[in-house]
Amino acid sequence: MADADFEKFKGQVAVVFNGATGLWSLQNKNYPDAQEHLRAAVNSNPNDFKDVYPLALAYLSAKPSSDVNGLWFAARSVNLAKAAGFPERNVQDISEFGRKRFIKYHGGEDGWTELLAQTKDAALPPAGFSIPPAPTPAEQAKALADSKDPKQMNFAEWELVLGSGEPAVADKVWNVIKGQTVQFAGKVISSTRT
């Protein structure tokens, strides 16, 4: 066998073995190993759904699931499934899985459609690929305190700001509502005479 033919054959076999090893690792919930082997298979053959979708699962099933590469490969899987002529129901299921994981990570679905469009023609994430994570409770509390009059907030909003906000943000709201009478409904579950 010529050297060039041998190298080509070796590359093809490596894709098959990396894919099989990655799938085995994924089934056994060894996510780091699954990511390593499936990523090697996808890097060599980035248009193969049978490796791309499991790679997305390997990234998104790990705890904590904070690797945006999983979101990339989930969106890429949607495009590959469409291109391969999968039944529409299957494509929708794959898309819904990716969309829900995107929302969980990002805090909203803004940007999901753009990610689907980006992954249509680009097989691998570009250098520096990122997706902004969801705002922290402290960031949510600050945004709420900056955008809404504390007297107009409901009890849950007060709880968020006072419980999760930075001290300056919590003080800003507390100084407006302290001493105010607050009415809210409650249900008595049990009581005694005393």
Side-chain angles (χ1 to χ4, degrees), residues 89-108:
R89 172 79 174 134
N90 295 43
V91 174
Q92 287 175 351
D93 288 345
I94 296 164
S95 181
E96 189 61 13
F97 168 76
R99 188 183 73 81
K100 284 181 179 178
R101 290 302 182 101
F102 184 89
I103 291 169
K104 183 176 180 180
Y105 177 81
H106 177 61

Side-chain angles (χ1 to χ4, degrees), residues 91-171:
V91 174
Q92 287 175 351
D93 288 345
I94 296 164
S95 181
E96 189 61 13
F97 168 76
R99 188 183 73 81
K100 284 181 179 178
R101 290 302 182 101
F102 184 89
I103 291 169
K104 183 176 180 180
Y105 177 81
H106 177 61
E109 70 178 288
D110 59 299
W112 173 246
T113 304
E114 292 80 3
L115 182 59
L116 286 171
Q118 187 179 8
T119 60
K120 184 174 184 180
D121 297 319
L124 300 171
F129 172 69
S130 68
I131 296 170
T136 65
E139 292 168 336
Q140 292 175 22
K142 181 173 182 349
L144 181 61
D146 289 345
S147 66
K148 194 168 186 180
D149 179 4
K151 291 180 182 178
Q152 303 302 316
M153 291 180 187
N154 62 39
F155 189 78
E157 292 169 328
W158 285 339
E159 186 177 33
L160 172 67
V161 173
L162 298 175
S164 298
E166 297 289 330
V169 173
D171 288 346

Side-chain angles (χ1 to χ4, degrees), residues 2-111:
D3 287 346
D5 292 337
F6 177 73
E7 288 303 317
K8 181 179 177 184
F9 177 72
K10 189 169 85 171
Q12 292 169 337
V13 170
V15 169
V16 171
F17 285 132
N18 275 316
T21 303
L23 283 173
W24 184 86
S25 296
L26 179 62
Q27 290 172 342
N28 289 288
K29 299 181 180 180
N30 183 349
Y31 302 119
D33 193 59
Q35 292 167 13
E36 176 187 343
H37 289 284
L38 288 167
R39 185 63 189 257
V42 169
N43 285 347
S44 296
N45 187 9
N47 297 316
D48 191 346
F49 178 86
K50 74 175 177 49
D51 289 330
V52 173
Y53 186 62
L55 179 57
L57 295 176
Y59 280 124
L60 297 174
S61 298
K63 302 290 183 220
S65 174
S66 61
D67 193 324
V68 296
N69 286 316
L71 299 173
W72 174 276
F73 290 113
R76 179 75 178 143
S77 296
V78 173
N79 289 306
L80 291 174
K82 284 180 185 177
F86 282 36
E88 185 59 31
R89 172 79 174 134
N90 295 43
V91 174
Q92 287 175 351
D93 288 345
I94 296 164
S95 181
E96 189 61 13
F97 168 76
R99 188 183 73 81
K100 284 181 179 178
R101 290 302 182 101
F102 184 89
I103 291 169
K104 183 176 180 180
Y105 177 81
H106 177 61
E109 70 178 288
D110 59 299

